Amino acid sequence: MAKETNELLVVWTSGDPDVAVRMVFMYTANAKKHGWWEDVTMLVWGPSQKLLTESEVLKEKLVEMLDAGVRVVACKACADSYPVSEQLEDLGVEVFYTGEFLTDWIKSDGAVITF
């Protein structure tokens, strides 16, 4: 039987705004607000980083998620390549090199969902 965990990592890589609004942000926010998961972290990685810095709708939804207690982090290597690191930090996103963070999460049998 699998180890039960109450921590979720949502890995968001898609640059598709429809996926962001109708899946990623909807599920992630509700998972925290409704207590489906005690701790919810969203990793913004790759094309999703650029989309987040360009979309006013997503910026508003990000504020709501942060206010609800969702931790939002982003990969610095990807963010620097776009370059949007400073913009993400200004939005309240923690920006750091996330390769080891993601690896440790997976090795710990933490729950992961990807979009």
Side-chain angles (χ1 to χ4, degrees), residues 9 16 18-19 26 32 38 42 45 49 51-53 55 65 69-70 75 88 90-91 96 114:
L9 177 63
D16 183 328
D18 208 32
V19 169
M26 185 184 299
K32 183 63 179 174
E38 186 174 325
M42 182 169 73
W45 214 5
Q49 294 175 331
L51 177 62
L52 180 57
T53 61
S55 170
M65 282 202 321
V70 174
C75 174
L88 290 168
D90 289 346
L91 293 172
F96 59 93
T114 60

Side-chain angles (χ1 to χ4, degrees), residues 96-107:
F96 59 93
Y97 296 104
T98 58
E100 188 173 352
F101 167 81
L102 179 58
T103 300
D104 290 346
W105 191 288
I106 294 167
K107 287 183 176 182

Side-chain angles (χ1 to χ4, degrees), residues 41-80:
T41 301
M42 182 169 73
L43 170 56
V44 187
W45 214 5
S48 60
Q49 294 175 331
K50 190 169 187 286
L51 177 62
L52 180 57
T53 61
E54 296 172 344
S55 170
E56 293 306 316
V57 170
L58 293 180
K59 289 176 188 178
E60 290 173 18
K61 291 186 177 300
L62 175 67
V63 169
E64 293 171 14
M65 282 202 321
L66 291 169
D67 288 347
V70 174
R71 180 181 182 203
V72 182
V73 302
C75 174
K76 182 163 176 46
C78 293
D80 284 350

